[in-house]
Amino acid sequence: MKLSRNTRGISIILLLVVLTLLVAVLSMNVGKMNLSPLEVFKVIIGEGTSKQNLIVFDFRLPRIVLSILVGIGMGISGCIMQSLLKNDMASPGTLGISSGSGLFVLMYITLFASEGLLSPILLPGLAFAGGLMAAFLIFMFAFRRGRDISPTGLILTGVAMGSGYSALTLMLTLRLDKQQYDFALRWQAGDLWGDDWSYIMVLLPWVLIISFYVFYRSNTLNTLNLGNQTASGLGVAIKREFIGLTIAAVALASGSVALGGNFFFVGMVSPHLARKLVGPNHKLLLPTTALVGALVILIADTLTRTISFGADIPTGIIITILVTPYFLYLLSKAS
C-alpha cells in the first residue's frame, strides 16, 4: 500500500513537471507578439532572428523563470508554516511575513532607488531582514511563558501585525513620486517586476539552496507532524528544528516577495492542493507544492500577457480572482 501511494505521488510529480514545461513553452509562444512553436524552437537552437531572440530571451524567458521561482518559494514557504503550526490557514501572507518584507522593500525604494542604488543582491537581503523581523515580533507577541504557542493565536497576531505593516506601507506610499507610486501599487498587487537576468541570477541560488535544505529536512517535518511530544521522544531537537525551518520559510517568502510582489494566496493554497494530490508525506508534498505554486503563477502570468483586459493587470490580481473561491471553501471547512 505504501509503495503504491509513493508510486502514485511520484507519477503526479512527473505529470506536474511535464505540465509546467508545456505551460512554459506555451507562454513563450503567446503574447502581444505571437511566435509559432517552430520559431521558438529555432530561437532555442540558435537559428532565430534578432527580433525573435529579443522576444524570447530578454522578455519572455526571464519572466517564465521568475514565475517558477516565485511560485516555488511561496509554495514551499507556506507548506513549512502549515506543517510547523499544524494550521491550514498559515502562510507568509496570513502571518504578516510578506507585509514585513514588503515594508522593507518599500523603505528601500523610497530612500535609495531615486539615487540609483538599486541592487539585485541588496533587495532580497533587505526583504529577508524585514520578514525575519516580522516573524520575530509575531512570535514574541504570541509567546506565553510556560505554554505552547497557539497556532490560532499566532495567526491572529500575524493578521494584526500585517495590518500595522500595511498602514506603515501606506504612509510611505503617499510620499512617493508618481513613478515610484505606480511601481509600489503594482508590487503590492503582485507584479513580477524583477524579470531581469541580474535579479534572477540572485534569486535562483537563493530559492534552490534553501529548497534543497527544506527537502533534506522532510523527515523532520514528517516527525514534527506526529506532535511535539512524539517528535521529542524520537530524538528531534524541536526548538532548533523549528527555528531553522522557520528561518528557511521566511527566507523563501522574502526573496519571492522582493522580486515578485505580494502573492498572498499562493503560499496558502498551493500546500492544500498538493496535500490532496499526494498526501502528507513531505518527501512528496514539498516538490508537489513547489510545482503547484509555480504552475499557478505561470498560468496566471501567461493569461495577463495573452488576454486583453483593457489595462495592464498585475499577475497577483488574476491569481486572487482564480483562487478566491477555493479560499472561501477552505474557510468554510475550517469553521
Side-chain angles (χ1 to χ4, degrees), residues 109-184:
I109 293 168
T110 305
L111 298 174
F112 300 113
S114 60
E115 299 176 22
L117 298 175
L118 191 64
S119 165
I121 298 174
L122 188 56
L123 194 57
L126 278 173
F128 175 54
L132 207 58
M133 183 197 73
F136 174 77
L137 290 175
I138 291 162
F139 280 103
M140 185 181 71
F141 285 124
F143 176 76
R144 297 292 181 272
R145 186 179 296 275
R147 290 191 296 174
D148 290 338
I149 294 178
S150 165
T152 303
L154 200 62
I155 290 174
L156 291 174
T157 304
V159 170
M161 293 294 294
S163 299
Y165 293 134
S166 297
L168 290 173
T169 299
L170 180 59
M171 288 176 60
L172 285 174
T173 302
L174 295 175
R175 296 180 53 192
L176 301 177
D177 59 36
K178 186 180 185 305
Q179 183 178 357
Q180 291 175 332
Y181 178 80
D182 290 342
F183 172 82

Side-chain angles (χ1 to χ4, degrees), residues 12-208:
I12 289 173
I13 290 171
L14 292 175
L15 180 63
L16 287 171
V17 169
V18 173
L19 188 58
T20 302
L21 291 174
L22 289 175
V23 175
V25 171
L26 176 65
S27 187
M28 278 193 281
N29 291 331
V30 299
K32 294 177 181 177
M33 296 174 285
N34 285 333
L35 295 176
S36 69
L38 180 60
E39 289 174 326
V40 172
F41 178 73
K42 286 183 177 180
V43 170
I44 292 174
I45 63 175
E47 295 183 3
T49 64
S50 58
K51 180 181 177 181
Q52 291 169 348
N53 289 335
L54 180 69
I55 293 171
V56 173
F57 290 121
D58 289 358
F59 295 149
R60 293 187 183 165
L61 192 57
R63 198 169 179 91
I64 290 167
V65 175
L66 181 63
S67 299
I68 293 172
L69 290 176
V70 170
I72 290 172
M74 294 300 291
I76 293 181
S77 178
C79 185
I80 296 169
M81 292 178 182
Q82 290 179 12
S83 297
L84 291 179
L85 299 179
K86 302 175 182 63
N87 191 298
D88 291 344
M89 303 304 294
S91 74
T94 53
L95 288 173
I97 307 298
S98 297
S99 298
S101 298
L103 176 62
F104 269 54
V105 170
L106 194 58
M107 286 173 61
Y108 180 69
I109 293 168
T110 305
L111 298 174
F112 300 113
S114 60
E115 299 176 22
L117 298 175
L118 191 64
S119 165
I121 298 174
L122 188 56
L123 194 57
L126 278 173
F128 175 54
L132 207 58
M133 183 197 73
F136 174 77
L137 290 175
I138 291 162
F139 280 103
M140 185 181 71
F141 285 124
F143 176 76
R144 297 292 181 272
R145 186 179 296 275
R147 290 191 296 174
D148 290 338
I149 294 178
S150 165
T152 303
L154 200 62
I155 290 174
L156 291 174
T157 304
V159 170
M161 293 294 294
S163 299
Y165 293 134
S166 297
L168 290 173
T169 299
L170 180 59
M171 288 176 60
L172 285 174
T173 302
L174 295 175
R175 296 180 53 192
L176 301 177
D177 59 36
K178 186 180 185 305
Q179 183 178 357
Q180 291 175 332
Y181 178 80
D182 290 342
F183 172 82
L185 198 64
R186 294 184 62 82
W187 177 88
Q188 289 170 346
D191 186 35
L192 293 163
W193 72 273
D195 53 348
D196 184 275
W197 286 116
S198 61
Y199 290 107
I200 292 170
M201 287 300 104
V202 173
L203 187 63
L204 180 65
W206 181 292
V207 170
L208 292 184

Side-chain angles (χ1 to χ4, degrees), residues 228-252:
N228 288 348
Q229 287 186 337
T230 304
S232 180
L234 292 172
V236 175
I238 294 175
K239 287 186 178 180
R240 186 184 68 193
E241 296 293 350
F242 188 92
I243 292 171
L245 288 166
T246 299
I247 291 174
V250 171
L252 285 171

Side-chain angles (χ1 to χ4, degrees), residues 249-264:
V250 171
L252 285 171
S254 300
S256 302
V257 164
L259 301 183
N262 192 2
F263 291 98
F264 181 89

